[in-house]
Every structure is written in C-alpha cells, then in structure tokens.
Amino acid sequence: MVSTVRPSIVNVGYRSTNVWVVSAGTSRLLVDLGWPGTMDTLRSNLQRMDIPLRDIRYGLATHYHIDHAGLAQDLKLAGVPLLVIDVQQPFIPLLRRHIKPTDRFTEITLHDNVVITAAESRALLARVGIPGEILHTPGHSDDSVSLLLDSGEAFTGDLTHPSLMTDAEAEVTRASWQRLRDRGATTVYAGHGPIRPF
C-alpha cells in the first residue's frame, strides 16, 4: 500500500550543488553531503532553515564524488550516521583520487557506516518515518543511487538527463530513468539545477 504522507523537502545546498533535507516531522534525511571543508556553510544553511543537525537521522550520498560526499566524515563526527548502499562501498576510497590538499577533506572511515542493500532501504526509511526507497541508478557513475519517495519525488544526484546522454552511457542511464519511472517518479530533485517534472 502506497503511503499518502508527503515529507517536506528543503534545499540547504551551496556552490551550485543541491543538498536536500527530507523531513517527516522532526526525523530527517540529508541527501547529498556537500563539498569538503564547508561544514560551517552547511551548518549555517541548516540553522537558517531551522533544521537542527541533531534531527538528521542519516546522511546519504547519491554517489561518491567530491561535491556530493565531501562532508560525509565531518557529518559522522558531528553525529550523523552515513547511510551507504552496499554497491557504493568500493567507491568510497576512490573519492580520494579527486581530492586536492587544499580541499580540507576528512577521509571517510569504512568500519562505522550503516551499510544496507537497496532492497533493505524501504524498511530502514520507514523506521524514520520516510515512505520511500533507495534504488541503484547507475549512469553518471556506477555507484549512483536515487532516493524515491512514495509521493513521487526522486532525488537523482547527477544521473544524466536523457537529453544530455552520450552514446557510451545511454543504455545504462536510460534503464535507470525507466526504473524510476516504473516505480512512480513524478518530480526530479537533481544534484544541480532546479526541481523539474519527471
């Protein structure tokens, strides 16, 4: 049975990257985790939107690129558990390849994350009052995942829009968009740019 509850959604992003807070009452999920070395900016944006950091139950990176997972460890150190879909695990250490010394990146530890399969995501989200699921949606990167709420909002990170696909990525990316469509996606909350209809 599909829930009729529609969580509230707030963008606390900066530097051209959207960082979404999905809230069900005071239980919140942070989707995408900002740029490294910018914890003060994220804290300020959360405070401005009256979102206490302590209310964020999990942080989820849609994929492990610098602008979407840069604050993962800083958030963990601040008390926000990192939610990782199992297919993403091998990609976490690879993030280091794109870090410059000036980025002030805090290395992400692997032993203390909340690791689940995509199939287990619905039950975990339900425990924090958010009706939806996390789907593996490769295309932009092999570790890309999307949060899809039962009310139709799809948080797709950098999943390449169909009109911008290259031949090399077209088949896998098209399949990811089709998976979201088949599961009821109606609105796209991307990692960059405006909210748009599916």
Side-chain angles (χ1 to χ4, degrees):
M1 180 171 160
V2 175
S3 172
T4 57
V5 174
R6 185 178 294 271
S8 67
I9 301 164
V10 175
N11 187 357
V12 294
Y14 49 96
R15 286 177 58 181
S16 81
T17 301
N18 297 323
V19 177
W20 303 102
V21 178
V22 179
S23 302
T26 58
S27 184
R28 296 180 163 102
L29 174 68
L30 189 65
V31 181
D32 282 330
L33 311 177
W35 293 81
T38 62
M39 191 66 180
D40 289 342
T41 302
L42 180 60
R43 282 183 189 274
S44 294
N45 288 358
L46 288 166
Q47 186 175 23
R48 186 170 38 260
M49 301 305 291
D50 198 27
I51 299 169
L53 188 62
R54 69 180 175 276
D55 287 353
I56 298 175
R57 299 290 297 275
Y58 296 101
L60 172 71
T62 55
H63 59 293
Y64 281 83
H65 288 177
I66 188 171
D67 53 335
H68 294 266
L71 286 177
Q73 187 65 26
D74 301 271
L75 283 159
K76 284 166 57 176
L77 294 171
V80 178
L82 180 60
L83 178 60
V84 178
I85 301 303
D86 59 348
V87 296
Q88 295 181 305
Q89 282 194 104
F91 295 87
I92 296 173
L94 302 181
L95 177 59
R96 169 57 72 188
R97 295 185 305 186
H98 304 286
I99 302 295
K100 299 176 192 132
T102 56
D103 285 333
R104 297 181 293 140
F105 174 69
T106 307
E107 193 78 35
I108 303 169
T109 56
L110 300 177
H111 69 279
D112 55 352
N113 300 321
V114 178
V115 181
I116 62 170
T117 65
E120 295 168 320
S121 66
R122 179 169 289 283
L124 181 140
L125 292 169
R127 287 196 296 273
V128 296
I130 296 173
E133 62 186 321
I134 300 166
L135 302 170
H136 183 212
T137 51
H140 171 70
S141 61
D142 290 341
D143 65 320
S144 290
V145 300
S146 296
L147 169 68
L148 176 60
L149 301 182
D150 287 351
S151 45
E153 297 87 355
F155 299 82
T156 59
D158 287 350
L159 185 61
T160 308
H161 189 273
S163 66
L164 303 174
M165 286 188 276
T166 64
D167 289 341
E169 66 185 356
E171 186 176 343
V172 68
T173 305
R174 200 171 289 114
S176 290
W177 282 110
Q178 188 63 50
R179 184 175 306 115
L180 289 165
R181 181 178 291 108
D182 291 347
R183 308 286 292 201
T186 60
T187 311
V188 175
Y189 289 73
H192 306 276
I195 300 165
R196 63 180 189 271
F198 197 87

